[in-house]
Amino acid sequence: MTFDPEQLGQSKADLAETLRTLRKRANRTQVWLAQRCNISQTKLSNLETGRITPNLIDVELILRALDAPMELVAEVTALARLANTEWQGKRASWRRGLEKRQAELAGLEAEAKTLRYFLPAIVTGLLATPEYIRASLGHTPVDISKTVARKLERQAVLYDTTKRFTFLLTEQAVRWPVVPRAAMAIQIDRLVSLSHLPNVHIGTIPLDAAAGRGPMNTFTVYDQRLVTVETFTGRMVFQDARDISEHLEVFDLYERHACFGEEARSVLREWAASYRS
């Protein structure tokens, strides 16, 4: 199934209708199917009307109970995966105000206990200096003053010791010259400072690290329930367990090749010094 951002919302309605149609074609009642899948009839009704988006486990249970043919299983599973994906375009974010996106991120950070950030290209706002944040938003065709303020406010979450943060930054992400050289050195100094927080783990991945897999996208994993992936034109939100699992595997791969603690701070100090020289 091809990915079309404009069809993501429709896919949820299509999935609900497909599941309802399959049950009726099999001449089964909601009560019968709910019992076979070990779920409540209320939940099944909500799945069939689109009030609740089924995850892949729900879909697999239903398809197995209805003895669906293999080719149909593949098609409906792909539809379910698409229905568990959300597209948030940047133009839409600009229209409604970027500060609203910051409120959404603050909500995600407030709910999560374990947060993992893979940063192959640029430093995230949680770790950034004010000058770096303003420069990174320089391409945005709207007023960014409120967004900068909200990004800085969000940084307070790093001091919540009930949460654990792991940031993996490639050498390119740390050294990409978003701001003038002196400001870049200060930005790298901030990474060194934040790495001393007991619940914040900052890992650096030098260019000569043989990870065996190219870093493609910035992504964040919130606990084991949601992943956001950044692109040039927007972001995708994955809630399906398989997509989350795959991103965790990628994160683990790069984490094994990263330097942490004093080793990472030593590398960061060298990179900061190169901007000061």
Side-chain angles (χ1 to χ4, degrees):
M1 179 174 292
T2 57
F3 166 67
D4 181 353
E6 301 301 324
Q7 294 180 354
L8 285 180
Q10 182 60 38
S11 66
K12 296 183 180 183
D14 291 343
L15 179 60
E17 182 179 354
T18 298
L19 294 176
R20 183 170 62 253
T21 300
L22 286 174
R23 177 183 59 78
K24 290 183 176 180
R25 285 180 180 174
N27 198 27
R28 297 297 186 180
T29 65
Q30 282 189 348
V31 172
W32 181 90
L33 184 55
Q35 290 175 343
R36 289 295 298 268
C37 297
N38 197 28
I39 60 177
S40 69
Q41 183 186 354
T42 300
K43 178 178 179 178
L44 181 60
S45 176
N46 287 334
L47 296 180
E48 290 189 354
T49 56
R51 295 191 194 95
I52 297 177
T53 301
N55 57 40
L56 260 68
I57 295 176
D58 293 328
V59 172
E60 287 177 355
L61 287 172
I62 291 171
L63 294 175
R64 191 180 305 124
L66 296 175
D67 198 22
M70 288 303 299
E71 61 272 14
L72 189 58
V73 169
E75 181 180 340
V76 178
T77 300
L79 185 61
R81 199 162 191 170
L82 194 58
N84 280 274
T85 303
E86 179 183 352
W87 171 255
Q88 299 174 347
K90 284 194 173 179
R91 288 181 177 81
S93 295
W94 294 340
R95 286 194 299 270
R96 66 192 184 96
L98 291 178
E99 67 277 4
K100 291 184 174 63
R101 170 61 182 166
Q102 296 307 306
E104 293 170 359
L105 289 172
L108 288 173
E109 291 155 0
E111 292 177 8
K113 291 298 183 183
T114 302
L115 302 95
R116 301 172 175 88
Y117 299 79
F118 180 61
L119 306 165
I122 195 169
V123 175
T124 182
L126 285 182
L127 304 177
T129 63
E131 186 172 357
Y132 190 100
I133 290 173
R134 281 191 292 270
S136 67
L137 293 171
H139 67 285
T140 307
V142 293
D143 180 29
I144 63 171
S145 55
K146 291 182 179 178
T147 304
V148 173
R150 291 293 289 127
K151 279 180 174 282
L152 293 173
E153 289 173 9
R154 280 176 48 221
Q155 293 179 355
V157 75
L158 296 176
Y159 300 89
D160 183 347
T161 55
T162 67
K163 301 179 184 295
R164 176 186 172 90
F165 298 86
T166 303
F167 299 90
L168 299 183
L169 298 99
T170 64
E171 182 174 347
Q172 173 176 297
V174 176
R175 304 186 69 175
W176 190 263
V178 174
V179 290
R181 295 183 65 85
M184 281 298 299
I186 294 172
Q187 171 58 62
I188 299 174
D189 288 343
R190 175 163 175 75
L191 298 178
V192 173
S193 176
L194 290 173
S195 73
H196 287 284
L197 292 175
N199 60 320
V200 174
H201 305 272
I202 295 179
T204 59
I205 307 172
L207 287 174
D208 59 1
R213 185 170 185 176
M216 295 181 64
N217 299 97
T218 294
F219 66 84
T220 305
V221 186
Y222 298 89
D223 294 324
Q224 295 188 355
R225 62 185 179 83
L226 186 145
V227 175
T228 61
V229 178
E230 302 287 334
T231 72
F232 275 112
T233 56
R235 65 188 59 83
M236 297 179 70
V237 181
F238 296 96
Q239 299 183 67
D240 180 72
R242 297 184 186 184
D243 291 317
I244 295 170
S245 178
E246 288 179 14
H247 280 88
L248 285 172
E249 288 177 8
V250 172
F251 194 89
D252 289 344
L253 168 66
Y254 284 106
E255 190 172 18
R256 291 195 298 270
H257 289 82
C259 306
F260 288 92
E262 195 52 46
E263 185 179 2
R265 287 189 281 271
S266 177
V267 171
L268 289 169
R269 291 188 189 104
E270 289 179 12
W271 293 345
S274 71
Y275 275 113
R276 289 192 170 93
S277 61

